[in-house]
Amino acid sequence: MALLEVENLKVVFPTDEGEVEAVNEISFTLDYGEVLAVVGESGSGKSVSAMAIMRLLPKTARVTGRVEFDGKSLLELPMKHMRRIMGNDIAMIFQDPMTALNPVFKVGEQIAEIIENHRDVSKRQAGTRAVELLELVGIPEPSRRAQQYPHEFSGGMRQRAMIAMAIANDPKLLIADEPTTALDVTIQAQVMEAIKTAQEATGAAMMLITHDLGLVAGVAQRVQVMYGGRVFESAPIDSIFYDNRNPYTRGLLNALPRLDARTHAKLYTIPGSPPDLLRLPPGCAFSPRCEFVTDECRRSIPDFAEVEPGHVTRCHNWESLPELARAGV
């Protein structure tokens, strides 16, 4: 049995202009210790799906489907039971640590409080464990830093403190939501290394949400590419990089800066903009931006096609995609 099973998860937000289907019947599984990267542009439904799993969406959101975690149906649990799971069995590394950390409490105190809330330990033991966790995620002088406030930490160090807080109770599942946003490239690499170290130290499964495929290469085993609230491709990491069968996945990869590119070469961008979820085009949501679009793409939404076991794609032209790309169509 998988640690996490998500089946036909759908999230709808009512608005004055109509209903927004932010997540449209996505399904996936996550095994114990596995790292799944969820990739896509802003508005693709990545973070909303994670927040739905954690039951952190506002009450106005309508969430349907099935979410099974370690044998428990999360969407049906009373909130008092769900709170015991959050921060203990499931932990989240948020995008902005300055809004997640309390500015009036020392960093060490905040980590220790999470430990005390879920474990039968003394305040002294929790404080010692907090220092050990700060050291694990690579914060220098952890004993001194534990006595400092969040504003005394740099952006990268605050994110490391968030990671320490997330793994404080050895969770079974880590959800990292855009953990390197607004950090420079060097710090991004250091934070990703800290996340990888923390994940390996706890043995937790991880759902890593990002818009940057380049970040996931050395961390994830599988990748799920989302667009317009749907899963467009799901495959092992090597298949995504070397045998992807979806034009959107290909566009994300082509948009990555390359070290072997000519210095004056123009960086590739996917034409157009992500879709308005209130006014999705008929057929494939990516069709207005796709260089391989056909009339069939404009008429009907493609079903999942199995490229090989463990690799599925949502594209009418997936079989001919490599030949079309080589031909420059």
Side-chain angles (χ1 to χ4, degrees), residues 66-327:
R66 185 176 70 90
V67 179
E68 290 277 334
F69 171 76
D70 205 23
K72 304 178 187 72
S73 182
L74 296 189
L75 298 185
E76 297 174 3
L77 275 182
M79 274 311 295
K80 66 176 182 179
H81 294 154
M82 188 66 198
R83 288 190 190 98
R84 291 183 198 141
I85 292 173
M86 291 188 292
N88 190 32
D89 292 331
I90 306 177
M92 198 159 187
I93 303 168
F94 292 96
Q95 185 175 136
D96 183 4
M98 270 311 274
T99 58
L101 293 168
N102 192 320
V104 300
F105 289 99
K106 295 172 183 176
V107 171
E109 290 175 349
Q110 295 185 57
I111 299 172
E113 183 182 17
I114 288 178
I115 298 168
E116 290 176 72
N117 286 343
H118 294 277
R119 295 283 187 269
D120 184 18
V121 296
S122 67
K123 197 174 188 70
R124 183 184 182 88
Q125 289 172 318
T128 300
R129 177 61 177 154
V131 173
E132 291 172 355
L133 289 164
L134 290 175
E135 184 175 19
L136 176 67
V137 297
I139 289 184
E141 301 180 81
S143 297
R144 183 174 70 85
R145 290 294 189 175
Q147 300 303 312
Q148 293 182 327
Y149 294 90
H151 73 270
E152 297 179 272
F153 278 39
S154 66
M157 286 176 61
R158 283 194 292 268
Q159 197 59 277
R160 287 167 186 261
M162 277 291 301
I163 297 166
M165 196 174 291
I167 65 170
N169 291 308
D170 295 325
K172 295 176 182 176
L173 173 62
L174 273 172
I175 300 177
D177 185 10
E178 299 274 11
T180 59
T181 297
L183 300 175
D184 66 50
V185 176
T186 304
I187 303 301
Q188 281 184 4
Q190 293 173 2
V191 168
M192 287 305 299
E193 187 61 34
I195 289 174
K196 186 178 179 181
T197 300
Q199 185 264 333
E200 290 174 348
T202 59
M206 182 163 67
M207 185 175 170
L208 173 61
I209 298 166
T210 179
H211 61 273
D212 186 351
L213 264 171
L215 283 177
V216 307
V219 180
Q221 284 95 49
R222 280 194 301 130
V223 179
Q224 180 171 284
V225 180
M226 292 189 67
Y227 185 81
R230 295 181 184 271
V231 175
F232 263 45
E233 188 165 19
S234 179
I237 187 81
D238 287 345
S239 297
I240 287 292
F241 277 91
Y242 302 112
D243 190 27
N244 53 78
R245 296 301 182 96
N246 194 285
Y248 181 58
T249 306
R250 187 157 299 210
L252 290 176
L253 284 167
N254 288 340
L256 292 174
R258 294 177 60 97
L259 293 175
D260 59 352
R262 297 190 306 272
T263 54
H264 61 278
K266 187 177 179 181
L267 186 66
Y268 174 85
T269 57
I270 300 174
S273 302
D276 181 346
L277 295 179
L278 273 170
R279 300 170 186 85
L280 286 171
C284 176
F286 189 59
S287 60
R289 308 173 71 190
C290 182
E291 58 184 316
F292 307 112
V293 65
T294 62
D295 290 340
E296 178 68 15
C297 303
R298 297 186 180 98
R299 281 195 302 266
S300 64
I301 297 171
D303 292 326
F304 273 127
E306 186 178 59
V307 180
E308 59 186 15
H311 184 176
V312 294
T313 184
R314 193 186 291 277
C315 179
H316 288 302
N317 304 310
W318 70 271
E319 290 178 289
S320 57
L321 190 60
E323 287 73 25
L324 290 170
R326 279 195 292 269

